[in-house]
Amino acid sequence: MARLIDLKPGSQTQINPLDLTPSVGVGLKYPLNGLYINYSTKEQIHDNLLNVILTEPGEKLFNPFYGVGLNSLLFEQKVEANFVKEKIENAILSDSLLNSLKIEDVKINFNRDDNSVNVKIEYISLLDRQSDAIEINYTNPKM
């Protein structure tokens, strides 16, 4: 669900040359459960963001510091929302595939009553100046 951001008169929207040929794939869709291809840079930025958020550090060969490791962070004892938010922002800033987006807000809501966490990342694509968001919901069953 994207909404257009009002541009100032005279400002320009960038177009990635890969988007000019709709039949040319830009990258692979996430999650990798088959060979599904993204055909626009906007879709690929969205999937790259999901990839860096959900990847555990040490999971990617030859890049042991890649990823946030959100799954392992969220249900640790005494983890603070600000710590998780900072870790997400740092991982995004250090990923060269995500240099065409600007993080607007990261919201983390812990619900201790039902052992669930909601993470929402709002961002703006610098290519077309449209906003978008990723929302991830985790539930840890009570034991």
Side-chain angles (χ1 to χ4, degrees):
M1 184 190 266
R3 63 183 190 276
L4 188 61
I5 295 173
D6 293 331
L7 298 175
K8 296 177 183 172
S11 65
Q12 297 177 353
T13 300
Q14 296 177 346
I15 297 174
N16 191 311
L18 294 173
D19 287 336
L20 296 176
T21 310
S23 62
V24 174
V26 176
L28 297 175
K29 284 189 179 283
Y30 186 84
L32 297 172
N33 55 0
L35 188 57
Y36 299 103
I37 297 173
N38 285 325
Y39 290 98
S40 75
T41 53
K42 183 177 179 178
E43 290 175 344
Q44 190 60 41
I45 288 170
H46 186 271
D47 286 353
N48 288 344
L49 182 57
L50 267 176
N51 191 21
V52 76
I53 299 299
L54 298 176
T55 300
E56 295 287 328
E59 190 175 350
K60 188 172 181 180
L61 294 176
F62 304 111
N63 194 351
F65 303 110
Y66 178 85
V68 173
L70 191 62
N71 193 38
S72 63
L73 280 177
L74 292 179
F75 297 105
E76 290 289 325
Q77 297 289 331
K78 298 183 181 180
V79 68
E80 297 290 327
N82 286 336
F83 174 75
V84 176
K85 180 179 178 179
E86 186 177 304
K87 189 143 174 98
I88 289 171
E89 290 171 346
N90 288 338
I92 292 169
L93 288 173
S94 65
D95 189 351
S96 63
L97 295 174
L98 297 174
N99 62 2
S100 60
L101 66 85
K102 178 183 175 215
I103 298 298
E104 285 294 295
D105 196 14
V106 177
K107 297 175 185 171
I108 302 169
N109 295 314
F110 290 98
N111 186 342
R112 308 246 186 245
D113 294 335
D114 65 354
N115 288 335
S116 66
V117 178
N118 175 275
V119 177
K120 185 173 184 179
I121 303 167
E122 297 173 352
Y123 64 93
I124 294 176
S125 170
L126 299 178
L127 295 175
D128 61 2
R129 304 283 194 245
Q130 287 189 341
S131 65
D132 203 351
I134 289 179
E135 193 164 352
I136 303 168
N137 294 304
Y138 280 101
T139 301
N140 192 13
K142 292 183 181 181
M143 305 218 176

